[in-house]
Amino acid sequence: MHAQLIDGKALAAAVKAEAAAETASLQAAGVTPCLAVILVGEDPASQVYVRGKIRDCAECGIRSLELRLPETTTQQELLDRIAALASDSTVHGILVQLPLPAGIDERAIIDAIPPEKDVDGFSPVNVGRMQTGQPCFLPCTPAGCIRMIESTGTVIDGKHAVVIGRSNIVGKPVAQLLLARNATVTICHSHTRNLRELCAQADILVAAVGHEAFVDGSMIKPGAVVIDVGINRGSDGKLHGDVNFAQAAERAAFLTPVPGGVGPMTRAMLMKNTTQAAAMQNGLSLEKMS
Ligand code: GUN
Protein backbone atom coordinates (compact mmCIF):
# COMPACT_ATOMS: atom_id res chain seq x y z
CA MET A 1 0.00 0.00 0.00
CA HIS A 2 1.31 3.45 -0.76
CA ALA A 3 -1.75 5.68 -0.39
CA GLN A 4 -1.84 7.90 2.63
CA LEU A 5 -5.02 7.41 4.65
CA ILE A 6 -7.21 10.42 5.36
CA ASP A 7 -8.10 9.83 8.99
CA GLY A 8 -11.77 10.85 9.28
CA LYS A 9 -11.87 10.18 13.00
CA ALA A 10 -8.92 12.46 13.76
CA LEU A 11 -10.22 15.21 11.47
CA ALA A 12 -13.69 14.90 12.97
CA ALA A 13 -12.22 15.23 16.46
CA ALA A 14 -10.61 18.52 15.42
CA VAL A 15 -13.86 19.81 13.90
CA LYS A 16 -15.83 18.76 17.00
CA ALA A 17 -13.28 20.57 19.18
CA GLU A 18 -14.08 23.71 17.15
CA ALA A 19 -17.80 23.11 17.70
CA ALA A 20 -17.22 22.58 21.43
CA ALA A 21 -15.30 25.87 21.67
CA GLU A 22 -18.12 27.63 19.80
CA THR A 23 -20.66 26.07 22.16
CA ALA A 24 -18.69 27.38 25.16
CA SER A 25 -18.70 30.89 23.66
CA LEU A 26 -22.44 30.68 23.01
CA GLN A 27 -23.08 29.47 26.53
CA ALA A 28 -21.09 32.39 27.90
CA ALA A 29 -23.51 34.59 25.95
CA GLY A 30 -26.48 32.75 27.49
CA VAL A 31 -27.30 30.46 24.56
CA THR A 32 -27.21 26.66 24.73
CA PRO A 33 -27.19 25.26 21.19
CA CYS A 34 -29.83 22.55 20.73
CA LEU A 35 -30.33 20.00 17.97
CA ALA A 36 -33.58 18.04 17.57
CA VAL A 37 -33.19 14.71 15.76
CA ILE A 38 -36.33 12.93 14.57
CA LEU A 39 -36.22 9.24 13.70
CA VAL A 40 -39.36 7.64 12.28
CA GLY A 41 -39.46 3.85 12.32
CA GLU A 42 -36.89 1.20 13.11
CA ASP A 43 -34.39 1.26 10.23
CA PRO A 44 -31.29 -0.31 11.83
CA ALA A 45 -28.73 1.84 9.97
CA SER A 46 -30.68 5.02 10.79
CA GLN A 47 -30.76 4.03 14.45
CA VAL A 48 -26.97 3.75 14.45
CA TYR A 49 -26.55 7.10 12.69
CA VAL A 50 -28.93 8.89 15.07
CA ARG A 51 -27.20 7.41 18.11
CA GLY A 52 -23.91 8.73 16.75
CA LYS A 53 -25.34 12.21 16.24
CA ILE A 54 -26.73 12.34 19.79
CA ARG A 55 -23.37 11.18 21.16
CA ASP A 56 -21.52 13.85 19.19
CA CYS A 57 -23.85 16.53 20.57
CA ALA A 58 -23.03 15.44 24.12
CA GLU A 59 -19.31 15.53 23.31
CA CYS A 60 -19.59 19.11 22.04
CA GLY A 61 -21.82 20.36 24.87
CA ILE A 62 -24.75 20.73 22.49
CA ARG A 63 -28.18 19.91 23.94
CA SER A 64 -30.02 17.28 21.94
CA LEU A 65 -33.63 16.17 21.70
CA GLU A 66 -34.17 12.71 20.30
CA LEU A 67 -37.69 12.11 18.99
CA ARG A 68 -38.34 8.48 18.14
CA LEU A 69 -41.63 8.07 16.35
CA PRO A 70 -43.27 4.79 15.36
CA GLU A 71 -43.25 3.43 11.81
CA THR A 72 -47.00 4.10 11.72
CA THR A 73 -46.57 7.88 12.17
CA THR A 74 -48.58 9.81 9.60
CA GLN A 75 -47.22 12.61 7.50
CA GLN A 76 -49.46 15.09 9.32
CA GLU A 77 -48.22 13.91 12.73
CA LEU A 78 -44.64 14.40 11.59
CA LEU A 79 -45.45 17.84 10.16
CA ASP A 80 -47.04 18.79 13.50
CA ARG A 81 -43.89 17.72 15.37
CA ILE A 82 -41.74 19.78 13.03
CA ALA A 83 -44.03 22.80 13.43
CA ALA A 84 -43.71 22.59 17.22
CA LEU A 85 -39.91 22.45 17.03
CA ALA A 86 -39.89 25.25 14.44
CA SER A 87 -41.65 27.60 16.83
CA ASP A 88 -39.54 26.61 19.87
CA SER A 89 -36.83 29.26 20.19
CA THR A 90 -34.68 26.97 22.38
CA VAL A 91 -34.30 24.52 19.46
CA HIS A 92 -31.84 25.72 16.82
CA GLY A 93 -31.47 22.75 14.50
CA ILE A 94 -34.04 20.25 13.22
CA LEU A 95 -32.91 17.05 11.50
CA VAL A 96 -35.27 14.40 10.19
CA GLN A 97 -33.31 11.20 9.57
CA LEU A 98 -33.78 9.82 6.05
CA PRO A 99 -35.06 7.59 4.57
CA LEU A 100 -38.62 7.98 5.85
CA PRO A 101 -41.13 5.12 5.87
CA ALA A 102 -43.18 4.61 2.71
CA GLY A 103 -46.28 6.79 2.75
CA ILE A 104 -44.49 9.90 3.99
CA ASP A 105 -43.51 12.40 1.31
CA GLU A 106 -39.86 13.21 1.98
CA ARG A 107 -40.05 16.44 -0.01
CA ALA A 108 -43.02 17.74 2.01
CA ILE A 109 -41.13 17.02 5.23
CA ILE A 110 -37.90 18.71 4.14
CA ASP A 111 -39.89 21.72 2.91
CA ALA A 112 -41.50 22.05 6.35
CA ILE A 113 -38.18 22.62 8.12
CA PRO A 114 -37.49 26.37 8.36
CA PRO A 115 -34.30 27.16 6.38
CA GLU A 116 -32.70 28.80 9.44
CA LYS A 117 -33.06 25.51 11.38
CA ASP A 118 -32.21 23.25 8.43
CA VAL A 119 -28.81 22.05 9.68
CA ASP A 120 -28.84 19.24 7.08
CA GLY A 121 -28.82 21.85 4.31
CA PHE A 122 -31.54 20.00 2.41
CA SER A 123 -34.21 22.70 2.19
CA PRO A 124 -34.71 24.33 -1.22
CA VAL A 125 -33.63 27.69 0.20
CA ASN A 126 -30.29 26.33 1.43
CA VAL A 127 -29.75 24.33 -1.77
CA GLY A 128 -30.46 27.46 -3.84
CA ARG A 129 -28.20 29.61 -1.70
CA MET A 130 -25.38 27.09 -2.05
CA GLN A 131 -25.89 26.95 -5.81
CA THR A 132 -25.58 30.72 -6.04
CA GLY A 133 -22.64 30.98 -3.66
CA GLN A 134 -24.48 32.68 -0.81
CA PRO A 135 -24.03 31.96 2.91
CA CYS A 136 -26.06 28.88 3.85
CA PHE A 137 -26.00 25.62 5.74
CA LEU A 138 -23.89 23.27 3.65
CA PRO A 139 -25.05 19.65 3.58
CA CYS A 140 -22.86 17.77 6.05
CA THR A 141 -21.47 14.91 3.96
CA PRO A 142 -20.39 17.09 1.01
CA ALA A 143 -18.91 19.68 3.37
CA GLY A 144 -17.01 16.89 5.15
CA CYS A 145 -15.70 15.56 1.81
CA ILE A 146 -14.30 18.98 0.89
CA ARG A 147 -12.68 19.37 4.30
CA MET A 148 -11.05 15.94 3.88
CA ILE A 149 -9.70 16.79 0.43
CA GLU A 150 -8.35 20.11 1.70
CA SER A 151 -6.74 18.37 4.68
CA THR A 152 -4.35 16.62 2.26
CA GLY A 153 -3.01 19.96 1.03
CA THR A 154 -4.44 19.21 -2.43
CA VAL A 155 -5.27 22.31 -4.44
CA ILE A 156 -8.75 21.76 -5.90
CA ASP A 157 -8.53 24.71 -8.31
CA GLY A 158 -8.09 23.48 -11.90
CA LYS A 159 -8.22 19.78 -11.04
CA HIS A 160 -10.50 17.27 -12.74
CA ALA A 161 -12.93 16.01 -10.12
CA VAL A 162 -15.16 13.06 -10.94
CA VAL A 163 -18.19 12.40 -8.76
CA ILE A 164 -19.95 9.04 -9.09
CA GLY A 165 -23.57 9.45 -7.98
CA ARG A 166 -26.09 12.24 -8.37
CA SER A 167 -28.18 12.12 -5.20
CA ASN A 168 -29.50 15.31 -3.62
CA ILE A 169 -27.70 14.43 -0.37
CA VAL A 170 -24.20 13.78 -1.73
CA GLY A 171 -23.52 13.63 -5.48
CA LYS A 172 -25.09 16.87 -6.66
CA PRO A 173 -23.98 19.07 -3.74
CA VAL A 174 -20.40 17.73 -3.59
CA ALA A 175 -20.09 18.41 -7.34
CA GLN A 176 -21.35 21.93 -6.71
CA LEU A 177 -18.85 22.56 -3.90
CA LEU A 178 -15.98 21.26 -6.06
CA LEU A 179 -17.13 23.51 -8.91
CA ALA A 180 -17.25 26.49 -6.54
CA ARG A 181 -13.56 25.75 -5.81
CA ASN A 182 -12.78 25.87 -9.55
CA ALA A 183 -12.48 22.15 -10.23
CA THR A 184 -13.55 20.83 -13.62
CA VAL A 185 -16.33 18.52 -12.52
CA THR A 186 -17.73 15.42 -14.20
CA ILE A 187 -20.79 13.79 -12.64
CA CYS A 188 -21.19 10.10 -13.48
CA HIS A 189 -24.31 8.02 -12.86
CA SER A 190 -26.09 4.86 -13.88
CA HIS A 191 -26.58 6.08 -17.48
CA THR A 192 -22.99 7.24 -17.99
CA ARG A 193 -21.48 5.39 -20.97
CA ASN A 194 -17.71 5.56 -20.43
CA LEU A 195 -17.68 5.63 -16.64
CA ARG A 196 -14.45 3.64 -16.21
CA GLU A 197 -12.51 5.91 -18.55
CA LEU A 198 -13.85 9.05 -16.92
CA CYS A 199 -13.00 7.85 -13.42
CA ALA A 200 -9.47 6.95 -14.54
CA GLN A 201 -8.96 10.62 -15.53
CA ALA A 202 -9.91 11.96 -12.11
CA ASP A 203 -7.40 13.87 -9.99
CA ILE A 204 -10.10 13.82 -7.31
CA LEU A 205 -12.57 10.93 -7.26
CA VAL A 206 -15.65 10.98 -5.03
CA ALA A 207 -17.59 7.71 -4.93
CA ALA A 208 -21.17 7.95 -3.68
CA VAL A 209 -22.81 5.01 -5.41
CA GLY A 210 -24.00 2.64 -2.70
CA HIS A 211 -22.42 -0.52 -4.20
CA GLU A 212 -19.64 -2.34 -2.42
CA ALA A 213 -16.29 -2.18 -4.28
CA PHE A 214 -17.90 -0.48 -7.31
CA VAL A 215 -14.62 1.34 -7.98
CA ASP A 216 -11.69 -0.98 -8.73
CA GLY A 217 -8.01 -0.14 -8.97
CA SER A 218 -8.02 0.31 -12.75
CA MET A 219 -10.55 3.16 -12.38
CA ILE A 220 -8.14 5.19 -10.26
CA LYS A 221 -5.56 7.53 -11.74
CA PRO A 222 -2.20 7.03 -10.05
CA GLY A 223 -1.76 9.80 -7.47
CA ALA A 224 -5.47 10.63 -7.19
CA VAL A 225 -7.31 11.74 -4.06
CA VAL A 226 -10.10 9.21 -3.46
CA ILE A 227 -13.04 9.97 -1.19
CA ASP A 228 -15.24 6.96 -0.46
CA VAL A 229 -18.71 7.98 0.71
CA GLY A 230 -20.18 4.46 0.54
CA ILE A 231 -21.33 2.59 3.62
CA ASN A 232 -22.37 -0.90 2.52
CA ARG A 233 -23.01 -3.84 4.82
CA GLY A 234 -21.13 -6.74 3.20
CA SER A 235 -22.02 -10.41 3.24
CA ASP A 236 -19.29 -10.71 5.91
CA GLY A 237 -21.41 -8.46 8.16
CA LYS A 238 -18.79 -5.70 8.04
CA LEU A 239 -19.01 -2.20 6.57
CA HIS A 240 -17.43 -1.65 3.17
CA GLY A 241 -17.10 1.42 0.98
CA ASP A 242 -17.86 1.92 -2.70
CA VAL A 243 -14.15 1.60 -3.44
CA ASN A 244 -12.07 -1.59 -3.48
CA PHE A 245 -9.80 -0.44 -0.67
CA ALA A 246 -6.83 -2.76 -1.26
CA GLN A 247 -6.67 -1.97 -4.98
CA ALA A 248 -7.20 1.76 -4.47
CA ALA A 249 -4.47 1.88 -1.85
CA GLU A 250 -1.95 0.73 -4.49
CA ARG A 251 -2.72 3.64 -6.82
CA ALA A 252 -4.19 6.62 -4.95
CA ALA A 253 -2.07 9.23 -3.20
CA PHE A 254 -4.75 9.79 -0.56
CA LEU A 255 -7.68 7.57 0.36
CA THR A 256 -10.46 7.63 2.97
CA PRO A 257 -11.11 4.41 4.90
CA VAL A 258 -14.57 2.90 5.55
CA PRO A 259 -15.46 2.98 8.39
CA GLY A 260 -13.58 5.88 9.98
CA GLY A 261 -13.59 8.17 6.96
CA VAL A 262 -16.46 10.26 5.65
CA GLY A 263 -18.98 9.07 8.30
CA PRO A 264 -17.42 10.72 11.36
CA MET A 265 -16.75 13.88 9.34
CA THR A 266 -20.41 14.13 8.31
CA ARG A 267 -21.48 14.13 11.94
CA ALA A 268 -18.80 16.63 12.92
CA MET A 269 -19.99 19.05 10.23
CA LEU A 270 -23.51 18.71 11.65
CA MET A 271 -22.22 19.96 15.00
CA LYS A 272 -20.71 23.01 13.27
CA ASN A 273 -23.99 23.74 11.49
CA THR A 274 -25.82 23.51 14.81
CA THR A 275 -23.56 26.03 16.59
CA GLN A 276 -23.86 28.28 13.53
CA ALA A 277 -27.67 28.01 13.66
CA ALA A 278 -27.74 28.83 17.38
CA ALA A 279 -25.51 31.87 16.82
CA MET A 280 -27.53 33.21 13.90
CA GLN A 281 -30.88 32.76 15.62
CA ASN A 282 -29.58 34.81 18.53
CA GLY A 283 -27.97 37.57 16.49
CA LEU A 284 -24.47 36.42 17.42
CA SER A 285 -21.41 35.91 15.19
CA LEU A 286 -19.15 32.95 15.92
CA GLU A 287 -16.28 34.69 14.11
CA LYS A 288 -16.51 37.66 16.46
CA MET A 289 -16.75 35.39 19.51
CA SER A 290 -13.61 33.34 18.83
N1 GUN B 1 -29.63 9.73 5.79
C1 GUN B 1 -28.42 9.48 5.24
N2 GUN B 1 -27.64 10.57 5.32
C2 GUN B 1 -28.36 11.53 5.92
C3 GUN B 1 -28.10 12.86 6.29
O1 GUN B 1 -27.03 13.43 6.07
N3 GUN B 1 -29.12 13.51 6.92
C4 GUN B 1 -30.31 12.93 7.16
N4 GUN B 1 -31.25 13.66 7.75
N5 GUN B 1 -30.59 11.69 6.83
C5 GUN B 1 -29.62 11.00 6.21
Side-chain angles (χ1 to χ4, degrees), residues 3-254:
Q4 207 173 310
L5 285 190
I6 306 175
D7 185 343
K9 276 194 204 160
L11 267 177
V15 172
K16 283 191 283 185
E18 286 174 27
E22 289 166 355
T23 300
S25 302
L26 288 164
Q27 281 190 318
V31 177
T32 301
C34 174
L35 173 67
V37 181
I38 305 179
L39 173 60
V40 186
E42 310 283 333
D43 181 76
S46 291
Q47 291 186 22
V48 174
Y49 298 151
V50 166
R51 221 176 297 140
K53 289 170 189 181
I54 300 293
R55 202 171 46 230
D56 285 342
C57 283
E59 236 179 82
C60 298
I62 294 171
R63 188 165 79 94
S64 62
L65 299 176
E66 186 179 354
L67 281 76
R68 285 176 165 259
L69 306 178
E71 186 88 23
T72 51
T73 303
T74 66
Q75 184 165 321
Q76 191 56 52
E77 284 167 346
L78 183 51
L79 288 171
D80 291 346
R81 293 290 192 135
I82 293 170
L85 294 167
S87 60
D88 182 341
S89 63
T90 68
V91 173
H92 307 104
I94 303 172
L95 181 148
V96 179
Q97 187 66 30
L98 304 176
L100 289 165
I104 299 183
D105 177 7
E106 198 170 287
R107 194 72 255 167
I109 298 306
I110 291 170
D111 288 356
I113 299 172
E116 66 275 16
K117 296 193 179 186
D118 168 38
V119 286
D120 253 334
F122 292 168
S123 88
V125 169
N126 281 313
V127 174
R129 292 180 71 88
M130 179 184 68
Q131 188 85 13
T132 49
Q134 299 173 71
C136 61
F137 290 118
L138 294 179
C140 303
T141 301
C145 291
I146 297 294
R147 186 108 176 203
M148 295 180 100
I149 296 165
E150 289 176 342
S151 78
T152 67
T154 301
V155 176
I156 296 173
D157 196 314
K159 296 283 162 57
H160 185 198
V162 174
V163 177
I164 321 174
R166 54 172 158 176
S167 69
N168 289 330
I169 294 185
V170 185
K172 277 192 258 183
V174 83
Q176 184 62 44
L177 294 180
L178 287 161
L179 179 63
R181 284 158 183 76
N182 296 323
T184 301
V185 182
T186 302
I187 305 177
C188 297
H189 48 78
S190 53
H191 292 230
T192 299
R193 298 226 172 109
N194 48 347
L195 185 134
R196 300 185 74 84
E197 291 74 15
L198 288 167
C199 289
Q201 293 167 25
D203 303 307
I204 299 167
L205 182 64
V206 180
V209 197
H211 289 291
E212 181 180 338
F214 182 86
V215 175
D216 65 37
S218 73
M219 293 160 75
I220 294 172
K221 179 176 172 177
V225 179
V226 178
I227 307 293
D228 189 348
V229 184
I231 304 180
N232 309 294
R233 181 78 59 184
S235 48
D236 57 1
K238 294 186 185 158
L239 294 181
H240 298 273
D242 290 345
V243 176
N244 182 318
F245 184 84
Q247 292 180 12
E250 293 302 322
R251 289 171 71 96
F254 296 97

